[in-house]
């Protein structure tokens, strides 16, 4: 979803004091290709994602395609195409649920190996209960389906792409929910602590809620475009957003790029700049040097727009005076 050839979408700290940045090739949705280490910068994620094995599986141990003619058959071209969409998965196994309509099914341990990636593609009008561990879950091109997660998703990754009217319920921790080019995605978590972050782009009508809290959020490109109407022009095909709890409030923020290419949010970039400036000022004062205040890297919101700090208040009633 980024205009460049590679979309960098997860960042994490390691104990060496460096950043690990994981890049994703949009030509193969879901593929995680390379791992780089860079200098620390304000970033959009906190959980570490392990580097991915370069060895692509040569065969698939689990698959299912609908229709009597292909109930147990997957040809070599299908295998290569589907594996390319999965990417360089560490697991040597995948469970495909393809082209099903009107199915209601529960997957137990006998159906899916815990090392397998569960991949729903082009399914419609169905309901699936995942009552076993799986490595990660991908949904592509699905319409009007419901998926319930009862057991652990080992990587914590659920990826929803080009789907309409998809609902999922989660009784387990989801580390990163990735949603791209969708209309009508509803996620219901059993509790707030089971949700970490949702990274999304090109999505309309994204709904997140929690059974143990009144906190809920309805967002989408049209909503974010209204919030940023006077400060910048958003592009549905390019701009990404991230949903997290900010000061105990579920908040959707625009992901921006620093001059060195690192992804962050305006709020985090401002906070980082303020801390850096304050530290520099203290050092300068100790040396008897006066430093003028640095010009902000990002344009401030309009007075009646939502404040960049994530409080939900209008800018004029929050940080407008402090930013002056």
């Amino acid at each position: 979803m980024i205009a460049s050839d590679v979309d960098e979408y997860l960042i994490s700290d390691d104990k060496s004091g460096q950043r690990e940045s994981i890049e994703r090739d949009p030509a193969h949705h879901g593929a995680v290709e390379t791992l780089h280490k860079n200098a620390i910068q304000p970033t959009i994620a906190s959980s570490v994602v392990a580097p991915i094995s370069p060895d692509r599986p040569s065969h698939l141990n689990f698959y299912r395609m609908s229709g009597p003619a292909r109930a147990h058959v997957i040809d070599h071209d299908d295998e290569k195409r589907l594996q390319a969409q999965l990417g360089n998965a560490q697991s040597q196994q995948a469970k495909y649920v393809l082209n099903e309509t009107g199915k209601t099914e529960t997957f137990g341990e006998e159906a899916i190996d815990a090392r397998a990636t569960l991949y729903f593609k082009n399914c419609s009008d169905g309901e699936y209960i995942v009552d076993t561990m799986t490595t990660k879950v991908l949904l592509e091109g699905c319409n009007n389906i419901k998926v319930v997660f009862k057991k652990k998703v080992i990587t914590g990754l659920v990826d929803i792409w080009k789907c309409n009217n998809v609902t999922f319920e989660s009784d387990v921790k989801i580390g990163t929910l990735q949603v791209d080019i969708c209309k009508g995605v509803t996620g219901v978590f059993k509790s707030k602590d089971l949700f970490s972050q949702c990274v999304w782009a090109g999505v309309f009508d994204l709904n997140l809620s929690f059974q143990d809290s009144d906190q809920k959020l309805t967002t989408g490109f049209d909503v974010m475009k209204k919030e940023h109407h006077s400060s910048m022009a958003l592009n549905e095909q390019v701009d990404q957003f991230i949903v997290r709890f900010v000061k105990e409030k579920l908040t959707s923020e625009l992901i921006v790029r620093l001059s060195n290419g690192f992804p962050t949010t305006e709020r985090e970039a401002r906070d980082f700049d303020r801390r850096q400036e304050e530290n520099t000022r203290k050092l300068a004062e100790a040396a008897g040097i006066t430093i003028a205040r640095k010009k902000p890297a990002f344009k401030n919101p309009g007075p009646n727009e939502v404040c960049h700090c994530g409080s939900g208040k209008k800018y004029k009633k929050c940080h407008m005076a402090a930013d002056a």
Side-chain angles (χ1 to χ4, degrees):
M1 297 302 298
I2 295 296
S4 61
D5 290 337
V6 176
D7 171 14
E8 177 178 288
Y9 76 111
L10 287 176
I11 301 293
S12 60
D13 287 325
D14 68 7
K15 294 182 180 179
S16 68
Q18 293 179 308
R19 278 298 173 196
E20 293 182 346
S21 65
I22 293 178
E23 296 181 348
R24 171 185 193 176
D25 181 0
H28 300 295
H29 184 75
V32 179
E33 300 291 348
T34 59
L35 177 67
H36 300 290
K37 292 184 180 292
N38 301 287
I40 292 178
Q41 296 289 343
T43 58
I44 66 171
S46 59
S47 59
V48 173
V49 179
I52 302 303
S53 167
D55 300 323
R56 178 155 295 180
S58 59
H59 66 280
L60 305 175
N61 292 342
F62 294 92
Y63 54 84
R64 183 177 77 239
M65 301 188 71
S66 65
R70 306 191 68 179
H72 301 287
V73 177
I74 182 168
D75 62 31
H76 183 65
D77 289 340
D78 282 335
E79 178 181 330
K80 289 176 62 178
R81 174 176 54 81
L82 292 169
Q83 190 61 62
Q85 289 171 309
L86 275 177
N88 292 342
Q90 286 175 303
S91 169
Q92 295 294 309
Q93 300 172 340
K95 169 74 171 183
Y96 292 118
V97 184
L98 308 176
N99 307 319
E100 293 192 345
T101 300
K103 290 288 188 69
T104 298
E105 187 167 359
T106 298
F107 297 115
E109 293 181 2
E110 72 286 351
I112 305 176
D113 190 289
R115 295 167 295 175
T117 292
L118 179 57
Y119 186 6
F120 295 92
K121 182 167 183 179
N122 297 335
C123 297
S124 60
D125 304 311
E127 182 171 338
Y128 302 91
I129 298 175
V130 185
D131 197 16
T132 183
M133 287 199 299
T134 184
T135 296
K136 63 180 179 181
V137 181
L138 307 178
L139 288 81
E140 179 188 351
C142 295
N143 296 281
N144 303 312
I145 72 166
K146 179 179 179 180
V147 182
V148 180
F149 302 111
K150 293 288 189 181
K151 297 289 179 64
K152 183 178 181 180
V153 179
I154 295 171
T155 63
L157 176 63
V158 174
D159 199 337
I160 305 175
W161 186 46
K162 288 188 175 180
C163 294
N164 296 317
N165 300 321
V166 167
T167 297
F168 72 87
E169 296 178 0
S170 184
D171 294 346
V172 298
K173 180 81 171 182
I174 302 297
T176 297
L177 172 65
Q178 180 92 17
V179 186
D180 296 311
I181 319 175
C182 295
K183 292 183 180 179
V185 174
T186 298
V188 181
F189 292 82
K190 188 174 182 179
S191 61
K192 287 172 56 179
D193 62 335
L194 298 179
F195 173 81
S196 293
Q197 62 182 12
C198 173
V199 179
W200 63 271
V203 177
F204 293 82
D205 195 21
L206 172 63
N207 304 278
L208 299 173
S209 62
F210 310 90
Q211 294 178 1
D212 68 339
S213 171
D214 292 334
Q215 285 265 16
K216 58 184 179 180
L217 178 70
T218 295
T219 189
F221 183 77
D222 51 343
V223 175
M224 299 305 292
K225 189 174 182 179
K226 288 180 180 178
E227 287 189 9
H228 292 269
H229 68 91
S230 65
S231 57
M232 65 182 66
L234 299 183
N235 187 317
E236 180 183 342
Q237 303 300 318
V238 173
D239 289 311
Q240 285 186 305
F241 304 85
I242 184 168
V243 179
R244 290 168 298 181
F245 280 101
V246 178
K247 297 179 180 179
E248 298 299 317
K249 180 180 176 61
L250 195 61
T251 305
S252 185
E253 300 176 280
L254 174 68
I255 296 173
V256 296
R257 295 268 175 178
L258 301 181
S259 58
N260 59 8
F262 277 90
T264 184
T265 66
E266 288 188 10
R267 173 182 55 82
E268 290 169 316
R270 289 174 191 274
D271 289 345
F272 181 81
D273 286 345
R274 284 195 183 99
R275 291 194 300 270
Q276 291 289 90
E277 184 177 356
E278 182 61 24
N279 291 336
T280 302
R281 190 183 301 279
K282 288 179 179 178
L283 290 173
E285 287 177 354
I289 302 172
T290 301
I291 299 178
R293 186 169 182 177
K294 186 172 67 173
K295 184 179 180 181
F298 300 99
K299 182 180 177 181
N300 290 326
N304 292 313
E305 292 185 333
V306 177
C307 185
H308 54 69
C309 73
S311 67
K313 298 179 181 178
K314 289 185 177 181
Y315 182 54
K316 65 183 181 183
K317 295 184 177 180
C318 198
H319 275 81
M320 188 167 137
D323 290 342

